[in-house]
Amino acid sequence: MPHETILVVDDEPNITELARMYLEQEGFRVEIARDGHEALNCIRARRPDLVVLDLMLPGVDGWEVCRRVRASSDIPIIMLTARDDDVDKIVGLELGADDYITKPFNPRELVARVKAVLRRSGRMALPTGIVRIGDVVIDPARREVTVAGRPVSLRSKEFDLLLTLARHPGIVLTRQQLLDQVWGYDFVGQSRTVDVHIAHLRDKLRGSQVSIETVWGVGYKLVV
């Protein structure tokens, strides 16, 4: 049974209590915060294993909470949005959210996504051999990357995405293959997630001998 602590941040009591009931049934410990300030205080004090974060919060909104958390922590974040709006989802992902779910949601889906994100964020079964391609060196055990000898800071999914591409140099990987290998086969987000992370990786690899090429209508490949 899980024992992780999940922080649910929403100003609607019916949402938080529904989430609490289903998550606790699965063995999770659940903390509740009803606004952005309370959420930030709880994250600092309790250090939850995952945050379920509503975007439309009173005071400090969900985007700002995510931005502040990502400035100092890799705690997984699942964003809640009341609108089926791609812009909200893309902005959330660009700020560092790991997944999103649209309200109203099926509480069983929320539980499934929480479990999936926790599994992905805690994966330790990757091979530990150092990968070198061009002037890029990837150390899976330390989760460190250097480009032309200088260390480069990557977010968790950016690192996993680069490592996956580097283990298949010159091979075109489809968006679905990348979603399956990096986010997990049960990820139910959109392939746009891959595009956002590829854009970030390209920025961080700029000036190196390595580039990520788009193969239109298919996917991406890493080339020297």
Side-chain angles (χ1 to χ4, degrees):
M1 289 286 285
H3 296 287
E4 293 85 358
T5 298
I6 311 300
L7 172 62
V8 179
V9 187
D10 199 300
D11 62 337
E12 299 180 49
N14 59 321
I15 295 290
T16 56
E17 291 311 310
L18 185 67
R20 183 202 294 274
M21 179 176 68
Y22 276 80
L23 288 166
E24 287 183 345
Q25 284 176 355
E26 294 296 317
F28 294 106
R29 292 186 290 265
V30 179
E31 299 284 343
I32 301 296
R34 307 199 188 282
D35 59 47
H37 287 295
E38 188 179 352
L40 291 168
N41 289 336
C42 186
I43 290 167
R44 283 191 291 267
R46 302 296 181 87
R47 298 185 179 275
D49 297 290
L50 182 144
V51 180
V52 178
L53 177 65
D54 186 31
L55 291 178
M56 305 303 290
L57 294 170
V60 180
D61 64 28
W63 287 286
E64 181 61 21
V65 171
C66 185
R67 186 181 293 109
R68 294 187 192 181
V69 170
R70 279 292 168 265
S72 60
S73 173
D74 285 330
I75 294 172
I77 296 173
I78 299 176
M79 282 198 161
L80 297 178
T81 173
R83 297 179 296 172
D84 190 13
D85 188 332
D86 285 343
V87 173
D88 282 355
K89 297 168 184 175
I90 291 168
V91 170
L93 292 170
E94 288 177 340
L95 288 174
D98 297 86
D99 200 353
Y100 58 81
I101 188 168
T102 303
K103 296 193 293 187
F105 58 83
N106 185 320
R108 291 186 179 87
E109 180 186 358
L110 174 64
V111 171
R113 293 207 188 200
V114 165
K115 289 181 176 179
V117 171
L118 284 172
R119 283 199 303 271
R120 294 195 298 269
S121 66
R123 285 188 307 183
M124 298 298 292
L126 290 172
T128 58
I130 290 176
V131 178
R132 292 181 173 87
I133 179 167
D135 56 358
V136 174
V137 179
I138 308 168
D139 186 338
R142 297 179 182 271
R143 293 187 70 80
E144 295 175 348
V145 175
T146 59
V147 175
R150 58 180 175 83
V152 175
S153 178
L154 299 182
R155 290 174 173 166
S156 176
K157 288 296 176 288
E158 293 170 357
F159 182 93
D160 293 341
L161 182 57
L162 177 61
L163 183 59
T164 299
L165 289 166
R167 285 191 172 131
H168 303 85
I171 304 299
V172 181
L173 297 177
T174 68
R175 289 175 176 81
Q176 190 58 54
Q177 286 173 322
L178 292 170
L179 283 171
D180 291 347
Q181 293 187 45
V182 176
W183 281 264
Y185 74 92
D186 51 1
F187 179 70
V188 292
Q190 299 176 341
S191 61
R192 173 64 177 157
T193 302
V194 175
D195 300 336
V196 169
H197 284 75
I198 289 289
H200 291 167
L201 273 179
R202 282 172 168 159
D203 285 340
K204 294 176 180 181
L205 292 173
R206 187 170 288 124
S208 76
Q209 299 171 348
V210 172
S211 63
I212 302 173
E213 290 188 357
T214 301
V215 179
W216 294 106
V218 183
Y220 298 99
K221 64 179 178 179
L222 196 71
V223 297
V224 179

